[in-house]
Amino acid sequence: MNTTPTISGTTKLVGLLGSPVTQSMSPAMHTASFSKMGIDAVYLGFDVTPEELEPTVKGFANAGVTGYNVTMPCKTKVLPYLDELTPVAELMGAVNTVVIKDGKSIGDNTDGAGFVQNMRLHGFEPEGKIVTVVGAGGAGSAVFTQLALDLSLIHI
């Protein structure tokens, strides 16, 4: 099956914001996946520094971009420029995913949910267990925040 995208006037744009992004495999991986699944979209990397976030976020919403992922060093710096945050993103104070809906940029953080879902898919149910998270960086924070939410240790 051909995984080279066909670009048309209806092709959706999805991207990755951060700096640097040139090393990222996300554009090739996501664009190939979209093509294979018959989704009319491409995924591009945008090297954006924190100082360039405000006009970029506004420009993406105005230009009809579908959404984008956010990577370092922009995960916390993008917050003031978004229209809404999901409760998880607000609690974590960091965003890795932005969906643009009706011209509004909505920030979310899916890192923890993805990790916890993967644990469960591999037979580890954290309910009633003691879980040790080594490291309190972005990924570690996402995991312990999601576990606290899933196990009803905190409510939002």
Side-chain angles (χ1 to χ4, degrees):
M1 174 180 239
N2 181 14
T3 57
T4 303
T6 301
I7 307 296
S8 72
T10 60
T11 301
K12 302 292 183 204
L13 177 60
V14 184
L16 173 66
L17 296 186
S19 187
V21 295
T22 55
Q23 80 292 353
S24 176
M25 297 298 296
S26 291
M29 178 180 68
H30 288 294
T31 298
S33 296
F34 291 151
S35 182
K36 186 170 183 170
M37 296 175 67
I39 298 171
D40 186 15
V42 294
Y43 188 105
L44 300 175
F46 297 91
D47 198 296
V48 176
T49 64
E51 296 76 29
E52 301 164 319
L53 279 171
E54 184 174 14
T56 303
V57 168
K58 289 178 181 178
F60 276 10
N62 292 335
V65 172
T66 300
Y68 48 92
N69 294 118
V70 182
T71 191
M72 295 308 292
C74 298
K75 288 185 174 193
T76 59
K77 308 285 189 204
V78 73
L79 298 174
Y81 310 119
L82 301 174
D83 298 305
E84 295 177 26
L85 296 175
T86 64
V88 171
E90 191 169 348
L91 182 63
M92 288 189 59
V95 164
N96 74 339
T97 303
V98 176
V99 174
I100 301 172
K101 187 172 182 180
D102 300 324
K104 286 188 167 188
S105 298
I106 305 162
D108 195 5
N109 195 306
T110 61
D111 286 334
F115 187 89
V116 172
Q117 179 182 11
N118 190 48
M119 284 189 333
R120 288 185 167 125
L121 288 173
H122 287 87
F124 181 82
E125 177 53 55
E127 185 73 40
K129 306 278 192 328
I130 295 173
V131 178
T132 302
V133 177
V134 179
S141 297
V143 170
F144 68 69
T145 299
Q146 191 64 48
L147 285 169
L149 289 167
D150 285 2
L151 302 177
S152 300
L153 301 174
I154 56 175
H155 301 281
I156 52 175

